[in-house]
Amino acid sequence: MFADRVLSGMRPTGRMHIGHYHGALKNWIRLQEEYECLYFAADWHALTTHFDETETIADSVWEMFVDWLAAGVDPTRATLFIQSRVPEHAELALLLGMITPVGWLERVPTYKDQQQKLTDHDLSNFGFLGYPVMMSADILVYRANKVPVGEDQVSHIEVTRELARRFNHIYGREPGFEEKARAAVKKLGSKKAKRYETLRTAFQEQGDTQALEAARELLEGTQNLSLGDRERLFGYLEGSRRVILPEPQPLLTETPRVPGLDGQKMSKSYGNAIMLREDPVAVTQKVRTMQTDPARVRRTDPGDPEKCPVWGLHQVYSDQVTRDWVWQGCTSAGIGCLECKQPVIDAIIREQQPIRERAQRYLDDPSLVRNIVADGCERARKLAEETMRDVREAMGLRYD
Ligand code: TRP
Ligand code: SF4
């Protein structure tokens, strides 16, 4: 109901590695060409699991921003900000908490998973249980409709959608809704009004979701509507409530999995990562010593690329010709592992060259980053404040 808006966040983990780059950042950079984008450091989220490890949060946030910028996130296109600097996130999380059944949260798969996996952390806190509520607030406070995330976050977006629906259902009621909605339809002008009615009927009578989508597009392309009428017309398509908080969609893009040096998931804490700005000498050394097919002991033993993490890196970094050469050479013992690794080393160093150069500017002058983020926080806050005005009003908290 509002213009397309992309929002995504990352917990501050400090310097990024090439897994972050291929898994998320490249996608963010692509999206900023096409959409209004907001990208933030989820510092409060870090506290949900690591509430007693606070010494590194701030440094991690700044390091992360340097790497986002170095990777090519463009501060003239995307808004970069810090979650805790926009307190509206917390206000909305508190209010959403009022309508969140605890059972929903206990059933989120990551809740039990993480409790089982992170046994060295105390995860019996309210904050950790409420994680998906805070994440919902992060998204809904900007009325963002597109949220690029990994597969592991989809269940959180599902909670967000359910909370938005519940919010609209409870607080989108208004006396005389039908009449007001019908009056708003007239304001579309006769041609658009007719098309709106046709599409609405197609959705309500036949459940035609394409018609619903088309009707939403029609509204999105209509400028001269008041916010109230807009909310009514979006709500009227589906029922008899205003849409105050639109439901977001997860944006799942096919990204290759970047294996760590030992074949496990790449993670700084496993010590198996190649960083986004790694010194070329270190890149060479890390890849040269990385694990290969364990069955290929001697140069004369044929190998199986499927059992080798280097092959995973070729999926990310090499073209078809090179991959054919690897497959052929490995399975026939025609090439050695060091030979096989060289194109990967070259490609990583080549990819990182402009990234290292861009980073240098920000490392030389940290005030550049501070200013970009200060501007971003201010912009984000303005947008969040607009939503909160409507939310407070809908919830009976308007006092002027
Ligand atoms: N939970 C996300 C993660 O761990 C980070 C995150 C927090 C986020 N809030 C968000 C992502 C809002 C997208 C939208 O990766
Ligand atoms: Fe892995 Fe390449 Fe060695 Fe085969 S030749 S085992 S793919 S490094």
Side-chain angles (χ1 to χ4, degrees):
M1 88 171 171
F2 306 89
D4 277 328
R5 194 176 274 167
V6 170
L7 173 118
S8 198
M10 270 190 220
R11 289 161 176 253
T13 50
R15 290 186 49 182
M16 302 275 98
H17 55 59
I18 61 174
H20 295 118
Y21 181 65
H22 290 279
L25 290 172
K26 265 173 86 173
N27 191 32
W28 287 13
I29 291 159
R30 208 171 317 123
L31 288 166
Q32 74 189 0
E33 305 294 326
E34 205 179 331
Y35 300 107
E36 176 186 3
C37 293
L38 295 143
Y39 299 131
F40 73 101
D43 56 347
W44 278 333
H45 285 278
L47 295 170
T48 60
T49 49
H50 296 68
F51 60 85
D52 55 353
E53 292 171 34
T54 56
E55 316 77 28
T56 53
I57 296 178
D59 287 344
S60 288
V61 165
W62 294 120
E63 285 171 353
M64 189 164 78
F65 280 128
V66 169
D67 277 355
W68 290 1
L69 292 163
V73 174
D74 177 352
T76 66
R77 290 176 184 272
T79 300
L80 301 182
F81 68 97
I82 299 169
Q83 182 187 30
S84 67
R85 299 284 300 276
V86 186
E88 284 77 6
H89 288 234
E91 183 184 358
L92 185 56
L94 176 101
L95 295 174
L96 291 174
M98 307 299 171
I99 61 163
T100 309
V102 174
W104 287 11
L105 300 176
E106 288 167 336
R107 279 194 296 275
V108 173
T110 50
Y111 181 61
K112 291 226 161 59
D113 270 16
Q114 295 261 65
Q115 282 192 328
Q116 277 161 13
K117 277 196 202 127
L118 299 177
T119 44
D120 51 338
H121 287 89
D122 180 3
L123 295 184
S124 57
N125 306 308
F126 173 62
F128 181 67
L129 177 67
Y131 187 99
V133 180
M134 187 145 71
M135 182 158 160
S136 298
D138 298 337
I139 298 166
L140 297 175
V141 84
Y142 301 105
R143 301 202 246 224
N145 59 342
K146 292 183 160 44
V147 187
V149 284
E151 194 75 59
D152 60 322
Q153 298 294 318
V154 172
S155 63
H156 297 152
I157 310 280
E158 199 40 54
V159 173
T160 308
R161 293 167 56 80
E162 279 166 10
L163 277 176
R165 226 174 292 148
R166 189 167 161 86
F167 186 95
N168 296 327
H169 183 77
I170 300 173
Y171 303 111
R173 249 176 311 173
E174 70 178 336
F177 178 85
E178 286 271 336
E179 291 71 32
K180 285 183 185 158
R182 261 186 265 120
V185 175
K186 287 219 184 77
K187 291 184 203 157
L188 290 172
S190 61
K191 215 169 125 201
K192 274 194 177 174
K194 192 149 169 244
R195 184 159 153 73
Y196 176 92
E197 289 289 9
T198 310
L199 293 168
R200 176 172 177 266
T201 310
F203 174 67
Q204 295 208 338
E205 291 179 4
Q206 287 123 43
D208 182 344
T209 52
Q210 278 182 355
L212 177 64
E213 221 18 74
R216 285 180 176 155
E217 271 169 34
L218 177 138
L219 293 176
E220 269 150 25
T222 305
Q223 244 94 80
N224 56 339
L225 281 172
S226 70
L227 185 61
D229 279 343
R230 224 171 229 292
E231 290 172 344
R232 283 179 201 107
L233 288 177
F234 273 95
Y236 192 46
L237 287 172
E238 292 171 84
S240 57
R241 301 283 200 271
R242 291 189 297 148
V243 173
I244 300 160
L245 299 175
E247 289 173 44
Q249 294 289 343
L251 279 187
L252 280 169
T253 31
E254 277 294 317
T255 47
R257 202 185 74 91
V258 183
L261 296 169
D262 55 0
Q264 289 197 76
K265 185 182 153 77
M266 186 174 285
S267 164
K268 213 160 56 169
S269 56
Y270 298 163
N272 66 357
I274 298 172
M275 304 316 285
L276 181 62
R277 294 180 288 116
E278 188 87 60
D279 179 70
V281 176
V283 172
T284 308
Q285 192 259 344
K286 281 186 175 179
V287 178
R288 285 175 75 98
T289 54
M290 81 180 270
Q291 198 180 305
T292 58
D293 173 6
R296 194 172 186 208
V297 184
R298 279 173 295 267
R299 165 71 176 77
T300 49
D301 298 333
D304 179 356
E306 300 285 6
K307 301 208 172 86
C308 175
V310 180
W311 178 241
L313 290 182
H314 276 293
Q315 302 307 306
V316 180
Y317 284 100
S318 298
D319 58 16
Q320 192 57 46
V321 176
T322 310
R323 293 205 292 247
D324 289 346
W325 168 79
V326 170
W327 189 273
Q328 173 59 29
C330 178
T331 54
S332 65
I335 58 171
C337 289
L338 285 179
E339 223 175 312
C340 172
K341 288 168 169 177
Q342 196 56 46
V344 170
I345 295 172
D346 295 340
I348 296 177
I349 293 175
R350 204 177 318 119
E351 176 176 79
Q352 296 195 343
Q353 178 63 26
I355 296 177
R356 276 192 305 271
E357 284 168 14
R358 263 194 302 266
Q360 201 53 50
R361 266 186 70 213
Y362 297 109
L363 297 171
D364 290 343
D365 183 1
S367 73
L368 288 175
V369 184
R370 307 280 158 147
N371 289 337
I372 288 166
V373 173
D375 285 353
C377 292
E378 202 177 311
R379 267 211 304 270
R381 229 185 143 179
K382 279 208 186 94
L383 299 174
E385 192 48 43
E386 275 172 36
T387 308
M388 287 317 295
R389 236 176 285 148
D390 293 347
V391 165
R392 289 183 206 118
E393 172 160 8
M395 292 183 81
L397 304 170
R398 183 174 162 176
Y399 296 102
D400 52 38

